[in-house]
C-alpha cells in the first residue's frame, strides 16, 4: 500500500494498537472517486480503459499504421479482437455499461462547456 500512496490514491497515517504505533491507510479524494458508488465516480473509466480488448487494440496500432496491404482500413480493435467494437459491446453488456458510463460522463462535461460558452 505504501507504493500506492505515492500515486495519491491512498494516504498513510498511523494509529496506536495495543500500545504500538501501526500504519493505517485511507482513501484520498482521488481514491474515493475510484469507488463505483462515489459521486462523479471515475471507476467506469478505469474499468473501460483497462479491459483486455482495448489493450489488445493498442498492440495492433503499429500494424494498422504501417500496413501496406489491402487491410489498411481495418481498425486496430477489429484486428486485435476479430470483431468490431460495436459487435463486442453488443455481446458484452458489462463492458458496454462501462463504455456508456464514460460517454455519459464526458457528454455531461461537454454539454456544460457548450452551454457556458
Amino acid at each position: 500500500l505504501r507504493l500506492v500512496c505515492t500515486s495519491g490514491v491512498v494516504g498513510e497515517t498511523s494509529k496506536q494498537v495495543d500500545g504500538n504505533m501501526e500504519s493505517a491507510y485511507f482513501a484520498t479524494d482521488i481514491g474515493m472517486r475510484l469507488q463505483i458508488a462515489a459521486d462523479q465516480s471515475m471507476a467506469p473509466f478505469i474499468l473501460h480503459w483497462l479491459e483486455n480488448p482495448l489493450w489488445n487494440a493498442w498492440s495492433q496500432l503499429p500494424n494498422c499504421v504501417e500496413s501496406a496491404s489491402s487491410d489498411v482500413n481495418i481498425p486496430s480493435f477489429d484486428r486485435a479482437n476479430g470483431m468490431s467494437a460495436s459487435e463486442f459491446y453488443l455481446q458484452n453488456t458489462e463492458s458496454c455499461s462501462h463504455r456508456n458510463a464514460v460517454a455519459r460522463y464526458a457528454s455531461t462535461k461537454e454539454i456544460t462547456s457548450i452551454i457556458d460558452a
Side-chain angles (χ1 to χ4, degrees), residues 60-110:
Q60 290 297 313
L61 187 60
N63 295 335
C64 191
V65 172
E66 297 169 356
S67 179
S69 66
S70 61
D71 64 352
V72 71
N73 292 323
I74 299 174
S76 56
F77 188 98
D78 299 25
R79 290 175 187 240
N81 299 293
M83 67 179 77
S84 70
S86 296
E87 291 172 288
F88 173 78
Y89 291 120
L90 283 173
Q91 295 176 21
N92 297 276
T93 55
E94 185 177 358
S95 295
C96 187
S97 70
H98 302 317
R99 183 201 61 175
N100 289 343
V102 169
R104 277 191 301 276
Y105 185 91
S107 295
T108 301
K109 298 293 184 191
E110 291 169 356

Side-chain angles (χ1 to χ4, degrees), residues 7-87:
S7 70
V9 173
V10 296
E12 183 179 12
T13 189
S14 57
K15 66 179 183 174
Q16 192 166 13
V17 177
D18 296 329
N20 298 317
M21 295 303 288
E22 293 187 3
S23 293
Y25 299 91
F26 60 92
T28 63
D29 289 341
I30 294 169
M32 296 296 283
R33 292 197 66 199
L34 294 177
Q35 296 178 11
I36 292 173
D39 186 39
Q40 296 186 343
S41 174
M42 299 300 289
F45 286 86
I46 304 303
L47 294 168
H48 175 62
W49 290 334
L50 295 181
E51 285 194 295
N52 282 339
L54 291 176
W55 280 106
N56 294 342
W58 281 107
S59 73
Q60 290 297 313
L61 187 60
N63 295 335
C64 191
V65 172
E66 297 169 356
S67 179
S69 66
S70 61
D71 64 352
V72 71
N73 292 323
I74 299 174
S76 56
F77 188 98
D78 299 25
R79 290 175 187 240
N81 299 293
M83 67 179 77
S84 70
S86 296
E87 291 172 288

